[in-house]
Amino acid sequence: MKISKIEKEYLKKIKLFQEYNKYYYEKNNPKITDSEFDLLKKEIIELEKKHKFLKSKISPSNTVGFTPSKNFKKVKHKIQMLSLSNAFNEEDLENFEKKIRNFLSLKEDAEIEYSAEPKIDGISASLTYKDGKFVQGLSRGDGKEGEDITENLKTIKDIPKVINEKNFPSEIDIRGEVFIQNDDFKKIDDKFANPRNAASGSLRQKDPTVTSKIPLKFIAYTFGFAKKMHFQSQSIFLNNLKKWGFKTNEYNKKIKGIKNLILNHEYLEKKRKDINFDIDGIVYKINDFELQKRLGYVTNAPRWAIAHKFSANSSVSKILDIEIQVGRTGALTPVAKIKPVNIGGVIVSNATLHNEDEIVRKDIRVGDTVTVERAGDVIPHVVSVDLKKRKKDSKKFIFPTKCPCGFETTKDFNEVTKKFDAVRRCPDRGFDCDIMAIEKLKHFVSKEAFNIDGFGKKIVENFWKLKLIKFPQDIFKLDYKKIKNLDGWGNLSASNLKYAIESKKNIPLDKFIYSLGIRHIGQENAKLLARHLKTANNFFNLSLKKDTHELKNIDGIGDTQIKSIVNFFLNKTNQNFLHELKKILEIKDAILLNQSGLLKNKTFMFTGKLENMSRAEAKSIIEENSGKIISNVNKKLDYLIIGEKPTTKKINLAKELNIKIITQKEWIKMLN
Ligand code: IVH
């Protein structure tokens, strides 16, 4: 095609995009369905990728992800709205239960009771009631901060506005799902791709009278902040929700045993098509609130709940190309570029092929007709190849042995399984591999790390291409004069970005460590390191140390993590950029969970089996009370707690060093 023709086609699409965008966001009256709109966006972006000269200020590639309507005030949730980890099969459920048994130190045959609740595929909302009155309703947002959509929520009939029941707490956040029933959706399915989008779209209308015309429903299932509420279990709480006037799910059930969970899952999966709203799995919650409390949380999800997903939606499509993507830790992931298809209301044009072994095992080739699956919020993947449709001249896909940056790749040898990894990696040369560097920068500015507002992946890529950034410190030295003159930028957007970046120069130590993207150091491990090291200087000083002996003391940090940290500090480029960041940032000392607990400034270690309690639980009790766990007997240890069958060597060493040796009972006494 001639350049002028390509440009013409592109501009036509851009104009259409602008028009539809206006109808959708400004007039709240979409002229095409969401999927058609998505497809148009994809086509524009594909054209830009193919023909680098195509550019437009109003291209969808300049809008950073999905930004919620700016019309709503942002409000912090008093208690965070968490997400759930997923299970897909019996094995996942068994592992989930095993972890719980271990944590609570329960016997292998102890029965665990669950509240099994269908997972409605809608939009979650948190409703605050004060003295029986509905006073504020928030969307989930990022879990920490939601949008104030009170007026829109007030239009939903299922949401009680006043509650006069005696045992209704004087202040409580009731949480549940806003959704649209399938029969109601049919009446408006020309405007939205699926019921979930319809519910979300309706809730975000600027004008609540528009929301009121769409028959949204609400089902309640949990609570956030609650003043003086004393129920024993989730099922009792659910019964009270009903008493208070909320709708609950009629398929909620109390269930014991994995086998029965599976039976219920099979039953509801079959029943799904007859239920008048979309469910995408079943949520299992440990029923007993006391056990929930003991189990607590990991970073974003409770330990006491899991979502058991239903099997995925699938469609058939064709592989147009196989691209190799390099992640921030150097993993080479093959991604199939497929002919866009609609899978359960979402347009899919990329599907992961996981790794090299998977391609070899399934003999996946460019040009193949394949079945692609998508389960809820999980990345779509290629399930199988239709060999009958394969052309005679099709060629095996040769997996590159070099990273696109030019470095030779390697496969790690796993000492435990005695096998080579399925994943091929660019050896972790950090910022020396250009492709990894871009991914590392994206990670650096991401929500869980520096959380720089408006600095999305597309901007990182764009600034990288324009040579505005190469290392993390460059983010803090941007040339805004240059930026404001870039296509798609202006005075206001450049100064907004500057403000967003400046405001993040002050960062907590754990977030800083996490932001560096060191392999095997995720959010949890970064927190462990920060709590142990306390100050940024202690962290930087790790680079000077020949041995990282001290890190061995951190309970939860093992050889793999230590090796990775050492490797990180050995790299000259890493040392340089750390040195630069040190000059720019103000890194806040780690905040200890509770600095005034009963075990303040005391260190503990366990040996032997504890009674009715796992090591993990004992550890979290110590940390909740401001104490610290270390994993070696040395001079820094204050107390060695002995359980059943302790290690004599540890006791002897403790005696030698004059360390106090106490029993589990004596330790519990210290906690009153
Ligand atoms: S409990 C910490 N219960 O699933 C507990 N969530 O991935 C988290 N959901 O954002 C919520 N039905 O939108 C819970 N019966 C149910 C649910 C449910 C649907 C959704 C909710 C949440 C997401 C978690």
Side-chain angles (χ1 to χ4, degrees), residues 81-86 117-125 140 176-177 196 220-222 234 252 280 283 285 297 300-302 304-305 307 377:
M81 286 181 88
L82 297 159
S83 41
L84 294 168
S85 29
N86 292 328
E117 307 165 16
K119 185 168 180 292
I120 304 173
D121 194 12
I123 301 296
S124 51
R140 181 177 186 278
E177 209 76 359
R196 188 176 193 278
Y221 49 68
T222 192
Q234 168 71 3
N252 288 346
D280 62 348
V283 183
K285 302 173 185 168
Y297 303 86
N300 290 316
W304 44 264
D377 39 14

Side-chain angles (χ1 to χ4, degrees), residues 298-309:
V298 283
T299 311
N300 290 316
R303 275 199 199 90
W304 44 264
I306 198 159
H308 187 185
K309 294 272 178 154

